[in-house]
PDB file of all heavy atoms in Angstrom:
ATOM      1  N   ARG O 168     -14.995  -0.272  22.126  1.00 98.00           N
ATOM      2  CA  ARG O 168     -14.813  -1.706  22.780  1.00 98.00           C
ATOM      3  C   ARG O 168     -16.050  -2.026  23.738  1.00 98.00           C
ATOM      4  O   ARG O 168     -16.628  -3.120  23.519  1.00 98.00           O
ATOM      5  CB  ARG O 168     -13.547  -1.706  23.509  1.00 98.00           C
ATOM      6  CG  ARG O 168     -13.167  -3.060  24.047  1.00 98.00           C
ATOM      7  CD  ARG O 168     -11.879  -3.086  24.625  1.00 98.00           C
ATOM      8  NE  ARG O 168     -11.532  -4.325  25.294  1.00 98.00           N
ATOM      9  CZ  ARG O 168     -11.252  -5.438  24.601  1.00 98.00           C
ATOM     10  NH1 ARG O 168     -11.008  -5.438  23.380  1.00 98.00           N
ATOM     11  NH2 ARG O 168     -11.028  -6.492  25.388  1.00 98.00           N
ATOM     12  N   SER O 169     -16.271  -1.085  24.492  1.00 98.00           N
ATOM     13  CA  SER O 169     -17.566  -1.248  25.409  1.00 98.00           C
ATOM     14  C   SER O 169     -18.783  -1.392  24.644  1.00 98.00           C
ATOM     15  O   SER O 169     -19.776  -2.215  24.968  1.00 98.00           O
ATOM     16  CB  SER O 169     -17.562  -0.345  26.579  1.00 98.00           C
ATOM     17  OG  SER O 169     -17.889   0.878  26.171  1.00 98.00           O
ATOM     18  N   THR O 170     -18.876  -0.640  23.557  1.00 98.00           N
ATOM     19  CA  THR O 170     -20.191  -0.712  22.734  1.00 98.00           C
ATOM     20  C   THR O 170     -20.223  -1.964  22.188  1.00 98.00           C
ATOM     21  O   THR O 170     -21.292  -2.593  22.128  1.00 98.00           O
ATOM     22  CB  THR O 170     -20.137   0.534  21.665  1.00 98.00           C
ATOM     23  OG1 THR O 170     -20.014   1.616  22.331  1.00 98.00           O
ATOM     24  CG2 THR O 170     -21.468   0.450  20.971  1.00 98.00           C
ATOM     25  N   ALA O 171     -19.080  -2.517  21.493  1.00 98.00           N
ATOM     26  CA  ALA O 171     -19.056  -3.776  20.958  1.00 98.00           C
ATOM     27  C   ALA O 171     -19.367  -4.944  21.845  1.00 98.00           C
ATOM     28  O   ALA O 171     -20.104  -5.879  21.481  1.00 98.00           O
ATOM     29  CB  ALA O 171     -17.723  -4.059  20.375  1.00 98.00           C
ATOM     30  N   LYS O 172     -18.945  -4.795  23.005  1.00 98.00           N
ATOM     31  CA  LYS O 172     -19.139  -5.598  24.115  1.00 98.00           C
ATOM     32  C   LYS O 172     -20.760  -5.869  24.389  1.00 98.00           C
ATOM     33  O   LYS O 172     -21.458  -6.986  24.538  1.00 98.00           O
ATOM     34  CB  LYS O 172     -18.413  -5.427  25.408  1.00 98.00           C
ATOM     35  CG  LYS O 172     -18.103  -6.540  26.253  1.00 98.00           C
ATOM     36  CD  LYS O 172     -17.094  -5.995  27.356  1.00 98.00           C
ATOM     37  CE  LYS O 172     -16.421  -7.185  28.074  1.00 98.00           C
ATOM     38  NZ  LYS O 172     -15.300  -6.811  28.701  1.00 98.00           N
ATOM     39  N   ASP O 173     -21.341  -4.640  24.559  1.00 97.00           N
ATOM     40  CA  ASP O 173     -22.822  -4.466  24.885  1.00 97.00           C
ATOM     41  C   ASP O 173     -23.549  -5.270  23.730  1.00 97.00           C
ATOM     42  O   ASP O 173     -24.569  -5.954  23.891  1.00 97.00           O
ATOM     43  CB  ASP O 173     -23.206  -3.064  24.926  1.00 97.00           C
ATOM     44  CG  ASP O 173     -22.951  -2.378  26.066  1.00 97.00           C
ATOM     45  OD1 ASP O 173     -22.391  -3.150  27.050  1.00 97.00           O
ATOM     46  OD2 ASP O 173     -22.903  -1.118  26.073  1.00 97.00           O
ATOM     47  N   TRP O 174     -23.052  -5.097  22.417  1.00 97.00           N
ATOM     48  CA  TRP O 174     -23.833  -5.635  21.314  1.00 97.00           C
ATOM     49  C   TRP O 174     -23.690  -7.181  21.211  1.00 97.00           C
ATOM     50  O   TRP O 174     -24.482  -7.876  20.857  1.00 97.00           O
ATOM     51  CB  TRP O 174     -23.417  -5.035  20.008  1.00 97.00           C
ATOM     52  CG  TRP O 174     -24.339  -3.814  19.737  1.00 97.00           C
ATOM     53  CD1 TRP O 174     -23.952  -2.491  20.140  1.00 97.00           C
ATOM     54  CD2 TRP O 174     -25.707  -3.962  19.360  1.00 97.00           C
ATOM     55  NE1 TRP O 174     -25.135  -1.721  19.896  1.00 97.00           N
ATOM     56  CE2 TRP O 174     -26.116  -2.456  19.291  1.00 97.00           C
ATOM     57  CE3 TRP O 174     -26.544  -4.873  18.925  1.00 97.00           C
ATOM     58  CZ2 TRP O 174     -27.377  -2.127  19.003  1.00 97.00           C
ATOM     59  CZ3 TRP O 174     -27.785  -4.471  18.528  1.00 97.00           C
ATOM     60  CH2 TRP O 174     -28.208  -3.222  18.670  1.00 97.00           C
ATOM     61  N   LEU O 175     -22.520  -7.652  21.690  1.00 97.00           N
ATOM     62  CA  LEU O 175     -22.351  -9.147  21.753  1.00 97.00           C
ATOM     63  C   LEU O 175     -23.358  -9.624  22.784  1.00 97.00           C
ATOM     64  O   LEU O 175     -23.985 -10.775  22.531  1.00 97.00           O
ATOM     65  CB  LEU O 175     -20.899  -9.391  22.232  1.00 97.00           C
ATOM     66  CG  LEU O 175     -19.718  -9.229  21.177  1.00 97.00           C
ATOM     67  CD1 LEU O 175     -18.627 -10.147  21.629  1.00 97.00           C
ATOM     68  CD2 LEU O 175     -20.160  -9.652  19.785  1.00 97.00           C
ATOM     69  N   GLN O 176     -23.617  -8.975  23.863  1.00 97.00           N
ATOM     70  CA  GLN O 176     -24.523  -9.402  24.800  1.00 97.00           C
ATOM     71  C   GLN O 176     -25.928  -9.346  24.239  1.00 97.00           C
ATOM     72  O   GLN O 176     -26.678 -10.249  24.500  1.00 97.00           O
ATOM     73  CB  GLN O 176     -24.445  -8.688  26.124  1.00 97.00           C
ATOM     74  CG  GLN O 176     -23.395  -9.143  27.092  1.00 97.00           C
ATOM     75  CD  GLN O 176     -22.965  -8.286  28.153  1.00 97.00           C
ATOM     76  OE1 GLN O 176     -22.615  -7.138  27.778  1.00 97.00           O
ATOM     77  NE2 GLN O 176     -22.711  -8.833  29.263  1.00 97.00           N
ATOM     78  N   ARG O 177     -26.180  -8.305  23.480  1.00 96.00           N
ATOM     79  CA  ARG O 177     -27.491  -8.117  23.010  1.00 96.00           C
ATOM     80  C   ARG O 177     -27.885  -9.146  21.967  1.00 96.00           C
ATOM     81  O   ARG O 177     -29.021  -9.606  21.882  1.00 96.00           O
ATOM     82  CB  ARG O 177     -27.753  -6.815  22.271  1.00 96.00           C
ATOM     83  CG  ARG O 177     -27.956  -5.729  23.109  1.00 96.00           C
ATOM     84  CD  ARG O 177     -28.596  -4.483  22.417  1.00 96.00           C
ATOM     85  NE  ARG O 177     -29.943  -4.663  22.301  1.00 96.00           N
ATOM     86  CZ  ARG O 177     -30.782  -3.562  22.338  1.00 96.00           C
ATOM     87  NH1 ARG O 177     -30.230  -2.381  22.278  1.00 96.00           N
ATOM     88  NH2 ARG O 177     -32.096  -3.575  22.260  1.00 96.00           N
ATOM     89  N   VAL O 178     -26.913  -9.788  21.299  1.00 96.00           N
ATOM     90  CA  VAL O 178     -27.165 -10.818  20.396  1.00 96.00           C
ATOM     91  C   VAL O 178     -26.919 -12.149  21.001  1.00 96.00           C
ATOM     92  O   VAL O 178     -26.678 -13.236  20.350  1.00 96.00           O
ATOM     93  CB  VAL O 178     -26.443 -10.661  18.952  1.00 96.00           C
ATOM     94  CG1 VAL O 178     -26.878  -9.436  18.242  1.00 96.00           C
ATOM     95  CG2 VAL O 178     -24.871 -10.703  19.262  1.00 96.00           C
ATOM     96  N   GLU O 179     -26.823 -12.178  22.315  1.00 95.00           N
ATOM     97  CA  GLU O 179     -26.663 -13.347  23.236  1.00 95.00           C
ATOM     98  C   GLU O 179     -25.363 -14.177  22.843  1.00 95.00           C
ATOM     99  O   GLU O 179     -25.399 -15.307  22.794  1.00 95.00           O
ATOM    100  CB  GLU O 179     -27.923 -14.338  22.998  1.00 95.00           C
ATOM    101  CG  GLU O 179     -29.199 -13.648  23.576  1.00 95.00           C
ATOM    102  CD  GLU O 179     -30.439 -14.237  23.078  1.00 95.00           C
ATOM    103  OE1 GLU O 179     -30.372 -15.199  22.376  1.00 95.00           O
ATOM    104  OE2 GLU O 179     -31.468 -13.667  23.489  1.00 95.00           O
ATOM    105  N   MET O 180     -24.213 -13.360  22.702  1.00 96.00           N
ATOM    106  CA  MET O 180     -22.971 -14.066  22.536  1.00 96.00           C
ATOM    107  C   MET O 180     -22.200 -13.775  23.907  1.00 96.00           C
ATOM    108  O   MET O 180     -22.500 -12.771  24.497  1.00 96.00           O
ATOM    109  CB  MET O 180     -22.205 -13.400  21.310  1.00 96.00           C
ATOM    110  CG  MET O 180     -22.705 -13.705  20.001  1.00 96.00           C
ATOM    111  SD  MET O 180     -21.704 -13.078  18.665  1.00 96.00           S
ATOM    112  CE  MET O 180     -20.182 -13.996  18.872  1.00 96.00           C
ATOM    113  N   ASP O 181     -21.202 -14.567  24.115  1.00 97.00           N
ATOM    114  CA  ASP O 181     -20.345 -14.432  25.293  1.00 97.00           C
ATOM    115  C   ASP O 181     -19.404 -13.371  25.106  1.00 97.00           C
ATOM    116  O   ASP O 181     -18.540 -13.386  24.230  1.00 97.00           O
ATOM    117  CB  ASP O 181     -19.714 -15.704  25.398  1.00 97.00           C
ATOM    118  CG  ASP O 181     -18.658 -15.678  26.752  1.00 97.00           C
ATOM    119  OD1 ASP O 181     -18.702 -14.651  27.389  1.00 97.00           O
ATOM    120  OD2 ASP O 181     -18.132 -16.747  27.058  1.00 97.00           O
ATOM    121  N   PRO O 182     -19.588 -12.313  25.958  1.00 97.00           N
ATOM    122  CA  PRO O 182     -18.712 -11.066  25.687  1.00 97.00           C
ATOM    123  C   PRO O 182     -17.225 -11.324  25.827  1.00 97.00           C
ATOM    124  O   PRO O 182     -16.354 -10.573  25.481  1.00 97.00           O
ATOM    125  CB  PRO O 182     -19.207 -10.056  26.648  1.00 97.00           C
ATOM    126  CG  PRO O 182     -19.973 -10.756  27.714  1.00 97.00           C
ATOM    127  CD  PRO O 182     -20.522 -12.099  27.016  1.00 97.00           C
ATOM    128  N   ALA O 183     -16.946 -12.442  26.605  1.00 97.00           N
ATOM    129  CA  ALA O 183     -15.571 -12.795  26.765  1.00 97.00           C
ATOM    130  C   ALA O 183     -14.918 -13.267  25.451  1.00 97.00           C
ATOM    131  O   ALA O 183     -13.621 -13.277  25.386  1.00 97.00           O
ATOM    132  CB  ALA O 183     -15.396 -13.961  27.764  1.00 97.00           C
ATOM    133  N   ARG O 184     -15.766 -13.409  24.349  1.00 97.00           N
ATOM    134  CA  ARG O 184     -15.153 -13.747  23.068  1.00 97.00           C
ATOM    135  C   ARG O 184     -14.896 -12.529  22.195  1.00 97.00           C
ATOM    136  O   ARG O 184     -14.646 -12.721  20.970  1.00 97.00           O
ATOM    137  CB  ARG O 184     -16.079 -14.657  22.269  1.00 97.00           C
ATOM    138  CG  ARG O 184     -16.452 -16.012  23.248  1.00 97.00           C
ATOM    139  CD  ARG O 184     -17.137 -17.084  22.426  1.00 97.00           C
ATOM    140  NE  ARG O 184     -16.271 -17.730  21.593  1.00 97.00           N
ATOM    141  CZ  ARG O 184     -16.485 -18.793  20.896  1.00 97.00           C
ATOM    142  NH1 ARG O 184     -17.731 -19.326  21.071  1.00 97.00           N
ATOM    143  NH2 ARG O 184     -15.629 -19.436  20.142  1.00 97.00           N
ATOM    144  N   LEU O 185     -14.876 -11.369  22.787  1.00 98.00           N
ATOM    145  CA  LEU O 185     -14.809 -10.170  22.133  1.00 98.00           C
ATOM    146  C   LEU O 185     -13.498 -10.051  21.067  1.00 98.00           C
ATOM    147  O   LEU O 185     -13.437  -9.486  20.154  1.00 98.00           O
ATOM    148  CB  LEU O 185     -14.654  -8.949  23.191  1.00 98.00           C
ATOM    149  CG  LEU O 185     -14.827  -7.497  22.595  1.00 98.00           C
ATOM    150  CD1 LEU O 185     -16.183  -7.248  21.964  1.00 98.00           C
ATOM    151  CD2 LEU O 185     -14.576  -6.532  23.724  1.00 98.00           C
ATOM    152  N   ASP O 186     -12.430 -10.599  21.774  1.00 98.00           N
ATOM    153  CA  ASP O 186     -11.150 -10.445  21.047  1.00 98.00           C
ATOM    154  C   ASP O 186     -10.877 -11.688  20.134  1.00 98.00           C
ATOM    155  O   ASP O 186      -9.706 -11.887  19.611  1.00 98.00           O
ATOM    156  CB  ASP O 186      -9.973 -10.342  22.163  1.00 98.00           C
ATOM    157  CG  ASP O 186     -10.047  -8.965  22.842  1.00 98.00           C
ATOM    158  OD1 ASP O 186     -10.688  -8.082  22.254  1.00 98.00           O
ATOM    159  OD2 ASP O 186      -9.584  -8.940  23.987  1.00 98.00           O
ATOM    160  N   GLU O 187     -11.709 -12.599  20.084  1.00 98.00           N
ATOM    161  CA  GLU O 187     -11.598 -13.897  19.199  1.00 98.00           C
ATOM    162  C   GLU O 187     -11.856 -13.458  17.722  1.00 98.00           C
ATOM    163  O   GLU O 187     -12.723 -12.713  17.367  1.00 98.00           O
ATOM    164  CB  GLU O 187     -12.390 -15.015  19.776  1.00 98.00           C
ATOM    165  CG  GLU O 187     -11.952 -15.590  21.087  1.00 98.00           C
ATOM    166  CD  GLU O 187     -12.839 -16.764  21.603  1.00 98.00           C
ATOM    167  OE1 GLU O 187     -13.361 -17.323  20.744  1.00 98.00           O
ATOM    168  OE2 GLU O 187     -12.905 -16.718  22.832  1.00 98.00           O
ATOM    169  N   LEU O 188     -11.254 -14.358  16.841  1.00 98.00           N
ATOM    170  CA  LEU O 188     -11.506 -14.129  15.433  1.00 98.00           C
ATOM    171  C   LEU O 188     -12.845 -14.922  15.123  1.00 98.00           C
ATOM    172  O   LEU O 188     -13.080 -15.959  15.741  1.00 98.00           O
ATOM    173  CB  LEU O 188     -10.416 -14.773  14.684  1.00 98.00           C
ATOM    174  CG  LEU O 188      -9.073 -14.033  14.655  1.00 98.00           C
ATOM    175  CD1 LEU O 188      -8.045 -14.774  13.761  1.00 98.00           C
ATOM    176  CD2 LEU O 188      -9.173 -12.532  14.154  1.00 98.00           C
ATOM    177  N   PRO O 189     -13.574 -14.396  14.224  1.00 98.00           N
ATOM    178  CA  PRO O 189     -14.864 -15.131  13.910  1.00 98.00           C
ATOM    179  C   PRO O 189     -14.683 -16.605  13.331  1.00 98.00           C
ATOM    180  O   PRO O 189     -15.609 -17.371  13.251  1.00 98.00           O
ATOM    181  CB  PRO O 189     -15.600 -14.197  12.969  1.00 98.00           C
ATOM    182  CG  PRO O 189     -14.682 -13.060  12.687  1.00 98.00           C
ATOM    183  CD  PRO O 189     -13.502 -13.181  13.518  1.00 98.00           C
ATOM    184  N   THR O 190     -13.560 -16.870  12.820  1.00 97.00           N
ATOM    185  CA  THR O 190     -13.238 -18.103  12.291  1.00 97.00           C
ATOM    186  C   THR O 190     -13.409 -19.221  13.216  1.00 97.00           C
ATOM    187  O   THR O 190     -13.808 -20.384  12.739  1.00 97.00           O
ATOM    188  CB  THR O 190     -11.721 -18.260  11.748  1.00 97.00           C
ATOM    189  OG1 THR O 190     -10.841 -17.592  12.727  1.00 97.00           O
ATOM    190  CG2 THR O 190     -11.546 -17.553  10.343  1.00 97.00           C
ATOM    191  N   GLY O 191     -13.226 -18.948  14.539  1.00 95.00           N
ATOM    192  CA  GLY O 191     -13.507 -20.105  15.458  1.00 95.00           C
ATOM    193  C   GLY O 191     -14.997 -20.111  15.988  1.00 95.00           C
ATOM    194  O   GLY O 191     -15.217 -20.904  16.710  1.00 95.00           O
ATOM    195  N   PHE O 192     -15.840 -19.314  15.433  1.00 97.00           N
ATOM    196  CA  PHE O 192     -17.348 -19.365  15.841  1.00 97.00           C
ATOM    197  C   PHE O 192     -18.020 -20.363  15.014  1.00 97.00           C
ATOM    198  O   PHE O 192     -17.734 -20.512  13.846  1.00 97.00           O
ATOM    199  CB  PHE O 192     -17.852 -17.913  15.800  1.00 97.00           C
ATOM    200  CG  PHE O 192     -17.237 -16.914  16.659  1.00 97.00           C
ATOM    201  CD1 PHE O 192     -17.725 -15.440  16.397  1.00 97.00           C
ATOM    202  CD2 PHE O 192     -16.274 -17.107  17.687  1.00 97.00           C
ATOM    203  CE1 PHE O 192     -17.136 -14.514  17.298  1.00 97.00           C
ATOM    204  CE2 PHE O 192     -15.704 -16.255  18.487  1.00 97.00           C
ATOM    205  CZ  PHE O 192     -16.101 -14.976  18.280  1.00 97.00           C
ATOM    206  N   SER O 193     -19.065 -20.775  15.735  1.00 95.00           N
ATOM    207  CA  SER O 193     -20.002 -21.745  14.911  1.00 95.00           C
ATOM    208  C   SER O 193     -20.804 -20.789  14.022  1.00 95.00           C
ATOM    209  O   SER O 193     -20.802 -19.518  14.050  1.00 95.00           O
ATOM    210  CB  SER O 193     -21.002 -22.363  15.796  1.00 95.00           C
ATOM    211  OG  SER O 193     -21.780 -21.206  16.406  1.00 95.00           O
ATOM    212  N   GLY O 194     -21.436 -21.415  12.982  1.00 94.00           N
ATOM    213  CA  GLY O 194     -22.297 -20.680  11.855  1.00 94.00           C
ATOM    214  C   GLY O 194     -23.289 -19.731  12.680  1.00 94.00           C
ATOM    215  O   GLY O 194     -23.517 -18.571  12.154  1.00 94.00           O
ATOM    216  N   GLY O 195     -23.997 -20.361  13.697  1.00 95.00           N
ATOM    217  CA  GLY O 195     -25.014 -19.454  14.445  1.00 95.00           C
ATOM    218  C   GLY O 195     -24.431 -18.233  15.014  1.00 95.00           C
ATOM    219  O   GLY O 195     -24.888 -17.179  15.025  1.00 95.00           O
ATOM    220  N   MET O 196     -23.179 -18.447  15.579  1.00 96.00           N
ATOM    221  CA  MET O 196     -22.542 -17.313  16.280  1.00 96.00           C
ATOM    222  C   MET O 196     -21.932 -16.323  15.307  1.00 96.00           C
ATOM    223  O   MET O 196     -22.107 -15.141  15.596  1.00 96.00           O
ATOM    224  CB  MET O 196     -21.330 -17.841  17.155  1.00 96.00           C
ATOM    225  CG  MET O 196     -21.719 -18.560  18.426  1.00 96.00           C
ATOM    226  SD  MET O 196     -22.629 -17.472  19.472  1.00 96.00           S
ATOM    227  CE  MET O 196     -23.537 -18.540  20.425  1.00 96.00           C
ATOM    228  N   GLN O 197     -21.481 -16.771  14.172  1.00 97.00           N
ATOM    229  CA  GLN O 197     -21.052 -15.912  13.108  1.00 97.00           C
ATOM    230  C   GLN O 197     -22.235 -15.079  12.619  1.00 97.00           C
ATOM    231  O   GLN O 197     -22.252 -13.839  12.374  1.00 97.00           O
ATOM    232  CB  GLN O 197     -20.514 -16.662  11.912  1.00 97.00           C
ATOM    233  CG  GLN O 197     -19.143 -17.256  12.220  1.00 97.00           C
ATOM    234  CD  GLN O 197     -18.657 -18.038  11.123  1.00 97.00           C
ATOM    235  OE1 GLN O 197     -19.217 -18.226  10.103  1.00 97.00           O
ATOM    236  NE2 GLN O 197     -17.358 -18.574  11.309  1.00 97.00           N
ATOM    237  N   GLN O 198     -23.472 -15.655  12.443  1.00 96.00           N
ATOM    238  CA  GLN O 198     -24.564 -14.908  12.075  1.00 96.00           C
ATOM    239  C   GLN O 198     -24.982 -13.845  13.156  1.00 96.00           C
ATOM    240  O   GLN O 198     -25.386 -12.785  12.760  1.00 96.00           O
ATOM    241  CB  GLN O 198     -25.716 -15.955  11.790  1.00 96.00           C
ATOM    242  CG  GLN O 198     -26.781 -15.335  10.757  1.00 96.00           C
ATOM    243  CD  GLN O 198     -26.277 -14.769   9.592  1.00 96.00           C
ATOM    244  OE1 GLN O 198     -25.484 -13.810   9.474  1.00 96.00           O
ATOM    245  NE2 GLN O 198     -26.605 -15.433   8.520  1.00 96.00           N
ATOM    246  N   ARG O 199     -24.922 -14.207  14.458  1.00 96.00           N
ATOM    247  CA  ARG O 199     -25.319 -13.295  15.455  1.00 96.00           C
ATOM    248  C   ARG O 199     -24.263 -12.012  15.450  1.00 96.00           C
ATOM    249  O   ARG O 199     -24.619 -10.889  15.559  1.00 96.00           O
ATOM    250  CB  ARG O 199     -25.011 -14.002  16.860  1.00 96.00           C
ATOM    251  CG  ARG O 199     -26.353 -14.774  17.177  1.00 96.00           C
ATOM    252  CD  ARG O 199     -25.923 -15.723  18.256  1.00 96.00           C
ATOM    253  NE  ARG O 199     -27.006 -16.824  18.467  1.00 96.00           N
ATOM    254  CZ  ARG O 199     -28.039 -16.680  19.017  1.00 96.00           C
ATOM    255  NH1 ARG O 199     -28.357 -15.598  19.826  1.00 96.00           N
ATOM    256  NH2 ARG O 199     -29.028 -17.526  18.980  1.00 96.00           N
ATOM    257  N   LEU O 200     -22.947 -12.392  15.194  1.00 97.00           N
ATOM    258  CA  LEU O 200     -21.936 -11.433  15.106  1.00 97.00           C
ATOM    259  C   LEU O 200     -22.224 -10.463  13.904  1.00 97.00           C
ATOM    260  O   LEU O 200     -22.195  -9.202  14.027  1.00 97.00           O
ATOM    261  CB  LEU O 200     -20.588 -12.054  15.017  1.00 97.00           C
ATOM    262  CG  LEU O 200     -19.374 -11.032  14.943  1.00 97.00           C
ATOM    263  CD1 LEU O 200     -19.370 -10.266  16.292  1.00 97.00           C
ATOM    264  CD2 LEU O 200     -18.045 -11.810  14.581  1.00 97.00           C
ATOM    265  N   GLN O 201     -22.718 -11.067  12.865  1.00 97.00           N
ATOM    266  CA  GLN O 201     -23.051 -10.216  11.661  1.00 97.00           C
ATOM    267  C   GLN O 201     -24.168  -9.290  11.884  1.00 97.00           C
ATOM    268  O   GLN O 201     -24.137  -8.140  11.439  1.00 97.00           O
ATOM    269  CB  GLN O 201     -23.323 -11.090  10.385  1.00 97.00           C
ATOM    270  CG  GLN O 201     -23.303 -10.262   9.090  1.00 97.00           C
ATOM    271  CD  GLN O 201     -23.853 -10.982   7.905  1.00 97.00           C
ATOM    272  OE1 GLN O 201     -23.836 -10.261   6.870  1.00 97.00           O
ATOM    273  NE2 GLN O 201     -24.340 -12.210   8.091  1.00 97.00           N
ATOM    274  N   ILE O 202     -25.041  -9.772  12.701  1.00 97.00           N
ATOM    275  CA  ILE O 202     -26.302  -8.998  13.059  1.00 97.00           C
ATOM    276  C   ILE O 202     -25.851  -7.822  13.907  1.00 97.00           C
ATOM    277  O   ILE O 202     -26.128  -6.646  13.830  1.00 97.00           O
ATOM    278  CB  ILE O 202     -27.326  -9.885  13.632  1.00 97.00           C
ATOM    279  CG1 ILE O 202     -27.944 -10.726  12.649  1.00 97.00           C
ATOM    280  CG2 ILE O 202     -28.424  -9.012  14.326  1.00 97.00           C
ATOM    281  CD1 ILE O 202     -28.820 -11.969  13.123  1.00 97.00           C
ATOM    282  N   ALA O 203     -24.942  -8.054  15.081  1.00 97.00           N
ATOM    283  CA  ALA O 203     -24.523  -7.135  15.825  1.00 97.00           C
ATOM    284  C   ALA O 203     -23.780  -5.919  15.114  1.00 97.00           C
ATOM    285  O   ALA O 203     -24.053  -4.753  15.238  1.00 97.00           O
ATOM    286  CB  ALA O 203     -23.644  -7.762  16.970  1.00 97.00           C
ATOM    287  N   ARG O 204     -22.881  -6.479  14.254  1.00 97.00           N
ATOM    288  CA  ARG O 204     -22.025  -5.518  13.328  1.00 97.00           C
ATOM    289  C   ARG O 204     -22.899  -4.623  12.506  1.00 97.00           C
ATOM    290  O   ARG O 204     -22.621  -3.521  12.295  1.00 97.00           O
ATOM    291  CB  ARG O 204     -21.277  -6.472  12.428  1.00 97.00           C
ATOM    292  CG  ARG O 204     -20.483  -5.728  11.318  1.00 97.00           C
ATOM    293  CD  ARG O 204     -19.710  -6.930  10.642  1.00 97.00           C
ATOM    294  NE  ARG O 204     -19.326  -6.649   9.273  1.00 97.00           N
ATOM    295  CZ  ARG O 204     -18.104  -5.898   9.001  1.00 97.00           C
ATOM    296  NH1 ARG O 204     -17.271  -5.462  10.109  1.00 97.00           N
ATOM    297  NH2 ARG O 204     -17.817  -5.580   7.880  1.00 97.00           N
ATOM    298  N   ASN O 205     -24.129  -5.089  12.200  1.00 97.00           N
ATOM    299  CA  ASN O 205     -25.025  -4.187  11.389  1.00 97.00           C
ATOM    300  C   ASN O 205     -25.826  -3.316  12.200  1.00 97.00           C
ATOM    301  O   ASN O 205     -26.093  -2.162  11.785  1.00 97.00           O
ATOM    302  CB  ASN O 205     -25.957  -5.030  10.519  1.00 97.00           C
ATOM    303  CG  ASN O 205     -25.491  -5.399   9.212  1.00 97.00           C
ATOM    304  OD1 ASN O 205     -25.500  -4.742   8.228  1.00 97.00           O
ATOM    305  ND2 ASN O 205     -24.827  -6.512   9.101  1.00 97.00           N
ATOM    306  N   LEU O 206     -26.347  -3.735  13.418  1.00 97.00           N
ATOM    307  CA  LEU O 206     -27.157  -2.965  14.272  1.00 97.00           C
ATOM    308  C   LEU O 206     -26.452  -1.915  15.073  1.00 97.00           C
ATOM    309  O   LEU O 206     -27.128  -1.064  15.663  1.00 97.00           O
ATOM    310  CB  LEU O 206     -27.935  -3.804  15.088  1.00 97.00           C
ATOM    311  CG  LEU O 206     -28.871  -4.992  14.379  1.00 97.00           C
ATOM    312  CD1 LEU O 206     -29.798  -5.580  15.196  1.00 97.00           C
ATOM    313  CD2 LEU O 206     -29.778  -4.226  13.286  1.00 97.00           C
ATOM    314  N   VAL O 207     -25.265  -1.972  15.224  1.00 97.00           N
ATOM    315  CA  VAL O 207     -24.420  -1.055  16.245  1.00 97.00           C
ATOM    316  C   VAL O 207     -24.634   0.275  15.896  1.00 97.00           C
ATOM    317  O   VAL O 207     -24.573   1.220  16.891  1.00 97.00           O
ATOM    318  CB  VAL O 207     -22.910  -1.439  16.172  1.00 97.00           C
ATOM    319  CG1 VAL O 207     -22.300  -1.147  14.814  1.00 97.00           C
ATOM    320  CG2 VAL O 207     -22.197  -0.762  17.298  1.00 97.00           C
ATOM    321  N   THR O 208     -24.919   0.782  14.724  1.00 96.00           N
ATOM    322  CA  THR O 208     -25.194   2.125  14.420  1.00 96.00           C
ATOM    323  C   THR O 208     -26.711   2.462  14.542  1.00 96.00           C
ATOM    324  O   THR O 208     -27.115   3.493  14.006  1.00 96.00           O
ATOM    325  CB  THR O 208     -24.693   2.621  13.216  1.00 96.00           C
ATOM    326  OG1 THR O 208     -25.281   1.699  12.112  1.00 96.00           O
ATOM    327  CG2 THR O 208     -23.191   2.577  12.859  1.00 96.00           C
TER     328      THR O 208
END
Side-chain angles (χ1 to χ4, degrees):
Chain O
R168 192 174 165 78
S169 68
T170 306
K172 208 169 193 166
D173 286 348
W174 272 98
L175 290 196
Q176 270 161 321
R177 278 202 91 151
V178 298
E179 296 163 4
M180 289 181 68
D181 181 357
R184 306 191 74 172
L185 192 64
D186 294 332
E187 291 178 30
L188 294 180
T190 38
F192 295 173
S193 67
M196 285 300 152
Q197 288 179 356
Q198 201 54 297
R199 283 162 194 270
L200 182 62
Q201 195 194 178
I202 290 163
R204 166 179 162 86
N205 273 278
L206 297 187
V207 67
T208 52

